[in-house]
Amino acid sequence: MPIVSAAVTPSPSPRSELFTQLAVACIGAGVVTSVAVAQGQNPLTALGITLFSAVAAVMVGQIL
């Protein structure tokens, strides 16, 4: 019987995966931040909250 080898799909690089997670987290946090800015919150404060929550989400995701 001939030996058949399956094609191996390379996994994405850790850096690419981290960037994707951060982008998704920023989009999610940005939606909530947009609502807060629309209600009168300072845009710089909202941006800081967005970045903090996105980084925190990625860190928790990496730990779990």
Side-chain angles (χ1 to χ4, degrees):
M1 283 176 81
I3 298 175
V4 178
S5 63
V8 177
T9 304
S11 62
S13 69
R15 186 176 205 163
S16 172
E17 184 177 328
L18 186 64
F19 178 75
T20 302
Q21 289 176 353
L22 188 59
V24 170
C26 281
I27 290 170
V31 170
V32 176
T33 301
S34 299
V35 173
V37 170
Q39 293 180 351
Q41 185 178 21
N42 182 349
L44 291 177
T45 303
L47 182 61
I49 292 169
T50 299
L51 291 175
F52 175 79
S53 62
V55 170
V58 170
M59 287 174 54
V60 168
Q62 290 296 315
I63 292 171
L64 296 178

